[in-house]
Each structure stands twice: as structure tokens, then as C-alpha cells.
Amino acid sequence: MKRALLALAMALGLPGTGHAETFTLPPFTQAYEPQGVDERGAWMMADEQERLLRSSKFVIRDDGLNHYVRGVFCRTVGQDRCANVRIYVMRMPEFNATMYPNGMMTVWSGLLLRVQSEAELGAVLGHEFGHFEKRHGVFGFKNKRTMSDVMAWIGVAAPQSAGFQYSLLGQVYAFNREQEREADMIGVQYLAASDYPSSAAARVWRRLMAEQDASASARGRKAKHGYAAGYFASHPSELSRATTLEAAAVRYGDEGDEGRAAYAQALREWLPEFLGDQIKRNDFGGSDFILDQLASDGWTGSLLFARAELYSQRGNPRDYVTAAQFYAQAIEKGYAAPKALRGLGLAQLRTQQTEQGKASLRQYLQQSPDASDASLISSLIGN
Amino acid sequence: MGGMMGGWKRLSAWAACALMMASPGLAQEKTGVKSGFILPPGSARIVLMRPSVIVGAQSTGGMFEPNADWTDEARRNIDRAIQDIQGQLGNSVAAYDSEAEEAGALSGEYRSLFTSVADSVREYQFFPGNRLPTKKRDKGFDWSIGTDVADLPGLSNADYVLFISTEDHYGSTGRKMLQIFAAMGGVSVPTGLHKGYAGLVDVKTGELVWLNADLQMGGDVRTADGAQKRVGQLFEGFPGRTMPLAQNALPGLAQP
């Protein structure tokens, strides 16, 4: 809708539609074929990878979820661009999405767990598509090759010039960071041209920084958020990305519905699975932070269960006390899966509530007599 | 320009030869056969997995530059050469049919697994100076990719699976020039990689019964003749082979 208005405004020669800055997306070439030896080689390797990936066990094949993620992507970058991309939703708990030179994109479940609206998801997917549209893969490869060629010659001709080689190596990373910055800008421009507000893009990085803080603090460390990235960093620092994207969003000044409620609705049935994966990452602070974010509208039974699992996984004696409370609250809130009773019983057994624990485990066995751990659990009950 | 390039190529080929002669001959073994394994001609049904073929150049700095045209060409050449050599293998060899979508990925995973196992065999058993205690010569040839390989769709009637993989990085002109200049200064810069593996796996046990693995294979797979030579080398010491080639009549590790 906003796109149509923008086009209309431009066709009429109006000075603008209240936007501080407007632009048109460049036309997109359909059925682009790779050019030159390097690009064709890169596409060949990506094609081989896609042959394997498309039937990998890590790909989530659920039609509903795939359709939804694709829909968000298409609404962000527009139909013509979206049609050329194959999206694979991967069951991977890290915050990531990847783009291959041949138009294959992977979206990791850890990303879906962390973003909180369609606009935020669109910002990341638009960033990835920016890499594809600008053919960053092949240019990055060429740059790396040129630098490594020069370094090889210097290594032979002037072996004492380690400092110069070091600076060349730094340039490879700097080039990569520059590509990331460019992709960030393209991503936020897609958002500005879409129905989603471009202000969502920066929030992804702000929240990631907060998660890193929480994760570090639980490990007794301090998270560092410098504006400048490290010399060997492949990406700009989160802080500089957030700041730059915020400034861009102010420039575009666009508004729109972020699609928060729709996103929460679409992810509801997947959250328990993705949270389970996240909790197994042994990152107490980070996982607790994510749970807190998800519970901003109140703790549901499913979130309470995940929180109980998080505490019992850390496994200090005091953690079982907390875990038992969360399991009980989850059950109270209607969380019906028998594994809540199992967790409750085991936590109770470990916190001197032997009889209550046995009772909970007995209830667990009644509800799922064929559980794979049934014999183990009965031995704990002792009869 | 062409003449100059040719000159450089000749010069660099000369330099490569000089380097090779200068380097000490590594007593790297290339072939292994499971103790007591014999494959009488005409006795087994062998299925050939889709060969893994990667061809590209090596940049001056040593980076691999995948080349789609060379890889296409090499795949065609190698397929043809395998067909030509079939009559000499003494057993029926059928190409694996990976039509089923799921089998596509699973067979790809097994290709990767085979390459990893073959890498380990080469590193920890074929190289005498680097043998693991359990992989000494008197311990025989004992490697497996697991019994689950029998679950690959389409292998129900097969006795053996044949894996083939080749990877070639052709040194670019720049790399060869670097090598020459480095050699002048007494520094050795390796150029090119020509790695080829062929292995036979028993479908019922998952055991690797024969492996041929070499990091310095001959034959330019980008040409038909070169591919013939490469495939001939890959099948050297093949247990069921009717043509006498390698000394693999004795069980245990065959000599290269």
C-alpha cells in the first residue's frame, strides 16, 4: 500500500508523502545468470550445497512456518525480488541467517526465536537479500584473492615485511565489514519502502546487545560494546549497526504496523521447540533474557515450563527449588504435557520433598506409561 | 601473448619438476585391502555412487577458485572413462539411481563420510611415519563407514558400493611464477592439488574393503585422455580386476 502511494506520489510529481527522504528501489533482474569464471564457480559450489541442504534433516519442512517466513520476506523486498529466492528454515539455535550467491537463503530457528515482529524479521531477511542483490559473495572472494595474492608475493619477495602483510589482512576484514554495512543499508531501505516501519531494524541489534550483556553477566564477565569493530571482525559492531540503522530510520521517517501480534501468533506453536533448543546451549543468562522478552505480556504455562527447565539444567541445589516452583506454576497455568510432572517430581526429589516428588512421578507414569524413561523413573519411586 | 604464456608454462613445469626431484621421495602408500578380501570376477553386484568431482584453479595466494566449466567437463570425461574401464573390473557396475529426493541428501552425506574416512586412512595408515598404534601394518586394514549404509534406498540388491571422488586445484600462472621466484630464494611453494579417492564398501557390513587414495594423481581431468589416465590410476589395485595391475594378491596393505 505504502509502495503504491509512493509510486503514485512520484508519478504525480509530488514533492513527497511526508517522508523525510524517499528513493526508489533499483529494478531487479530476473533469472540472472552468473557472469565470469569466479561467479560461475561460486554458483556451482552453492548449487552443490543446495542439493545437499534441500533434503537435510535440519530443514524444518512445516508448510505453515515456511509459508509465513516467505510471506514476511516477500512483503519486505517485494514480489519480484522474493520470487527468485529459495528459503530454507533451519533448526539451528543460533542467531543467524545466510545468503548464498545462487539465491539460496537459510533462516535459522535461533533468529526466529529472537526477533519479535514481522518487521524485525524482515530487516534481517532484507539484509541477507542485499548480499545477493549486490553480489557480495563474488566481490568478497575477488578481494580476498587479490589481497592473498599480494601477501604471497610479499611473503616471498620481502619476508621481513610482516607489518605490511598484517595491514593487507586487515583490509580483507575491513572489506567484509563494508559489505555488511551496505547490506544493512539495503535492508533498512527495503523496510522503508515496504509496509513495515524501518525503525524495527535497529531494535534487532539493540536486543542482541542486551542478550550478550545478560549472557556475559551470568558468566561473571563484562560484555563490551565498542562502536568500532575489532581489527579482525567480519561484521561491524552491533552498537555501530544499531546507531547507523537508527539514524537511517529517522531519515526515512516512515511508519507502519510492525506485525508484532501476527508474529507472536505464527510462532506460538514453535516456541516450545525453539526454546528447548536454546536452553540446551548452556547459556543461562542469554536464555533467561530471551524468556523475559517473550514473557513481556505475561508468563504462559509453556514459558514457565521452559524457565523451569532452564533452572533445573543449571542444576545448583537452589536451582531445583526454583525449578520446582516454575514447574508447579506451569501446571497451574494449564501446561498439560506429562514432562512437566516429570520435571516437578525430579526437582522435588532433589529438594528434600521426597514424598511429593514420588507422587508427582507416579502421576507422570500414569499419564505416559510408555515413556522411554519409564523404568528409570519407577526405580526412583522405589516400587 | 600466447607464446609468452606457453613459455611461462614450460618454465614453470620445469621448475615444478626440479622441485619434485629435489624433495625427498615420501614412501606414501596408496592402496589398502582388507585382510583376506578377494572378489572373484563375476561374483558381485557393485553400485557406483555419483562421483564427487571438483575442479578449479589455485590462485597465487593459494586460494581455491572453483571453476564451473572445468568441473562440468571433468564430470563428463570421468563418467565416460568409468564406462570405458568397466569391462576390466570383472564385475557388473551399475550407476546409483538417486531419483528419490531423500536419497539425494543421504547419499551426499555418505559421499562426505567416505571422503572423511578415506582422508583418515591416508593420514593415519598410508603414511608410515604417522600410523596410529591401532593402524600399524600388522593390524590389517580395518575401516568402516557403518552398517547403516545398507539403508540407502536402492541398495537392496547390491553387494558393494563404489565411491569415487576427485578434487583438482590447477596452479594458476601466478602461482607457478610465485613458485619459481620462491624456489630461487630457496623457499618451497607447493602448487596445485590433485587428490583422488576410490573405495569399495561392503553393503552388509559397511566395511571399507578396498581403498585407493592419492594426493598427487596424474591425468588432467579436463581432457578426455587425462580423465582416462586418472580413472585408470583410481582403479589401480581394484580387487576384482581382470587385468593384472597391482600386487594385491596378498592380503594386507598392498604396496603402492
Side-chain angles (χ1 to χ4, degrees):
Chain A
M1 187 61 193
K2 202 163 66 178
R3 204 189 303 272
L5 274 179
L6 234 156
L8 184 70
M10 278 187 292
L12 294 173
L14 296 178
T17 51
H19 293 245
E21 187 178 311
T22 58
F23 60 91
T24 43
L25 290 174
F28 183 72
T29 321
Q30 221 162 9
Y32 171 81
E33 284 294 314
Q35 310 292 316
V37 173
D38 292 331
E39 194 167 24
R40 274 142 50 74
W43 281 53
M44 170 190 78
M45 297 300 271
D47 286 346
E48 278 297 316
Q49 275 175 304
E50 191 169 354
R51 284 173 89 111
L52 291 177
L53 186 84
R54 84 184 152 182
S55 26
S56 156
K57 283 179 182 140
F58 289 98
V59 173
I60 300 178
R61 296 182 196 287
D62 180 78
D63 276 348
L65 185 65
N66 276 284
H67 188 77
Y68 180 71
V69 171
R70 184 163 195 88
V72 171
F73 174 61
C74 293
R75 284 195 288 283
T76 305
V77 300
Q79 288 301 331
D80 49 346
R81 283 175 165 75
C82 137
N84 292 282
V85 172
R86 284 91 56 212
I87 297 181
Y88 298 90
V89 182
M90 311 292 293
R91 184 84 182 257
M92 313 262 243
E94 285 82 20
F95 171 90
N96 205 3
T98 62
M99 189 78 215
Y100 291 73
N102 66 344
M104 154 171 66
M105 184 192 283
T106 69
V107 176
W108 296 17
S109 55
L111 168 67
L112 297 178
L113 179 66
R114 282 166 178 82
V115 296
Q116 293 198 341
S117 68
E118 295 184 353
E120 287 181 15
L121 177 60
V124 178
L125 302 187
H127 164 103
E128 293 304 330
F129 187 80
H131 284 312
F132 175 64
E133 184 156 12
K134 292 284 177 182
R135 296 156 71 212
H136 278 169
V138 70
F139 291 122
F141 173 81
K142 283 175 196 259
N143 173 62
K144 207 163 141 192
R145 180 178 54 199
T146 307
M147 293 301 175
S148 65
D149 284 359
V150 176
M151 277 163 67
W153 275 114
I154 292 171
V156 166
Q160 310 304 326
S161 58
F164 188 38
Q165 293 198 50
Y166 184 76
S167 81
L168 284 171
L169 189 59
Q171 281 180 44
V172 173
Y173 289 97
F175 188 87
N176 205 66
R177 290 196 295 274
E178 199 39 59
Q179 287 192 330
E180 294 298 330
R181 265 182 221 113
E182 189 182 23
D184 271 353
M185 288 321 290
I186 298 167
V188 77
Q189 284 172 357
Y190 289 138
L191 273 192
S194 76
D195 286 344
Y196 299 128
S198 57
S199 54
R203 206 165 319 120
V204 177
W205 303 109
R206 290 274 174 213
R207 195 179 305 112
L208 192 65
M209 281 192 281
E211 183 189 327
Q212 289 164 353
D213 286 344
S215 174
S217 131
R219 291 184 167 133
R221 296 202 210 112
K222 247 185 212 162
K224 289 191 195 102
H225 298 297
Y227 188 81
Y231 192 72
F232 293 117
S234 62
H235 288 63
S237 76
E238 283 84 12
L239 180 59
S240 72
R241 296 177 83 169
T243 316
T244 314
L245 289 169
E246 270 154 9
V250 169
R251 274 206 309 283
Y252 301 132
D254 59 325
E255 283 164 15
D257 180 15
E258 275 207 35
R260 251 184 95 90
Y263 187 79
Q265 176 63 33
L267 265 288
R268 183 154 299 152
E269 67 169 299
W270 291 97
L271 278 189
E273 309 247 345
F274 296 168
L275 276 171
D277 296 346
Q278 167 65 29
I279 286 167
K280 291 193 187 86
R281 293 183 69 208
N282 193 24
D283 174 10
F284 186 89
S287 301
D288 201 37
F289 174 83
I290 292 172
L291 279 169
D292 245 4
Q293 293 283 310
L294 290 168
S296 59
D297 299 329
W299 287 89
T300 63
S302 154
L303 289 175
L304 282 163
F305 172 76
R307 199 170 188 195
E309 293 275 289
L310 178 66
Y311 276 82
S312 62
Q313 191 220 41
R314 189 168 67 173
N316 293 316
R318 62 191 150 87
D319 288 327
Y320 288 112
V321 177
T322 320
Q325 291 167 18
F326 288 142
Y327 281 123
Q329 287 169 15
I331 295 168
E332 248 170 61
K333 290 243 168 148
Y335 187 80
K339 58 187 175 183
L341 282 166
R342 176 183 176 278
L344 176 63
L346 291 173
Q348 285 168 329
L349 282 187
R350 287 176 167 114
T351 51
Q352 297 152 321
Q353 307 175 68
T354 317
E355 284 318 306
Q356 294 98 314
K358 285 182 177 176
S360 305
L361 291 178
R362 245 178 244 120
Q363 235 180 315
Y364 164 67
L365 288 178
Q366 273 164 18
Q367 289 189 14
S368 52
D370 300 326
S372 60
D373 61 354
S375 62
L376 181 77
I377 297 290
S378 355
S379 75
L380 286 175
I381 301 171
N383 47 21
Chain B
M1 185 65 192
M4 218 169 85
M5 294 283 284
W8 271 119
K9 265 187 190 154
R10 266 197 300 281
L11 187 59
S12 56
W14 169 83
C17 284
L19 263 187
M20 241 187 254
M21 278 188 277
S23 66
L26 293 172
Q28 176 94 32
E29 288 164 359
K30 292 173 183 168
T31 307
V33 187
K34 184 177 145 57
S35 313
F37 176 73
I38 25 172
L39 186 65
S43 65
R45 285 151 304 181
I46 299 170
V47 169
L48 169 67
M49 303 304 281
R50 178 175 180 259
S52 159
V53 179
I54 300 174
V55 190
Q58 187 182 39
S59 73
T60 308
M63 267 170 68
F64 176 56
E65 310 168 84
N67 186 307
D69 295 335
W70 293 353
T71 304
D72 274 356
E73 193 61 40
R75 180 172 286 286
R76 269 200 300 278
N77 289 335
I78 286 174
D79 280 349
R80 212 174 299 127
I82 291 173
Q83 275 173 16
D84 291 349
I85 209 172
Q86 271 210 27
Q88 299 170 30
L89 296 182
N91 284 282
S92 81
V93 180
Y96 181 66
D97 175 27
S98 64
E99 293 259 312
E101 190 70 13
E102 267 175 62
L106 197 55
S107 68
E109 283 173 23
Y110 270 104
R111 267 207 318 267
S112 307
L113 179 59
F114 166 75
T115 308
S116 301
V117 173
D119 273 331
S120 301
V121 176
R122 188 177 49 71
E123 188 159 354
Y124 299 117
Q125 188 160 37
F126 283 179
F127 185 48
N130 198 34
R131 281 192 182 123
L132 292 177
T134 53
K135 300 296 175 192
K136 298 284 187 206
R137 187 173 265 275
D138 59 342
K139 299 288 195 297
F141 186 77
D142 182 20
W143 299 86
S144 167
I145 63 168
T147 51
D148 288 351
V149 69
D151 297 342
L152 269 177
L155 290 191
S156 49
N157 286 321
D159 300 311
Y160 296 96
V161 202
L162 182 58
F163 288 94
I164 288 181
S165 83
T166 64
E167 187 172 342
D168 288 84
H169 304 184
Y170 290 94
S172 61
T173 311
R175 181 74 176 176
K176 288 171 183 164
M177 283 167 65
L178 178 76
Q179 185 183 42
I180 297 166
F181 279 96
M184 289 172 185
V187 179
S188 160
V189 172
T191 170
L193 168 82
H194 303 283
K195 168 167 135 171
Y197 294 159
L200 196 62
V201 170
D202 187 328
V203 172
K204 281 162 199 78
T205 62
E207 280 176 319
L208 189 58
V209 290
W210 166 77
L211 177 74
N212 197 357
D214 192 352
L215 283 191
Q216 293 172 329
M217 298 213 83
D220 187 337
V221 291
R222 297 168 296 181
T223 66
D225 288 349
Q228 293 272 3
K229 184 178 170 196
R230 168 67 57 90
V231 168
Q233 284 186 1
L234 280 170
F235 282 103
E236 253 172 45
F238 184 76
R241 200 162 174 162
T242 49
M243 307 277 281
L245 257 171
Q247 310 100 304
N248 63 322
L250 291 171
L253 289 167
Q255 289 294 328

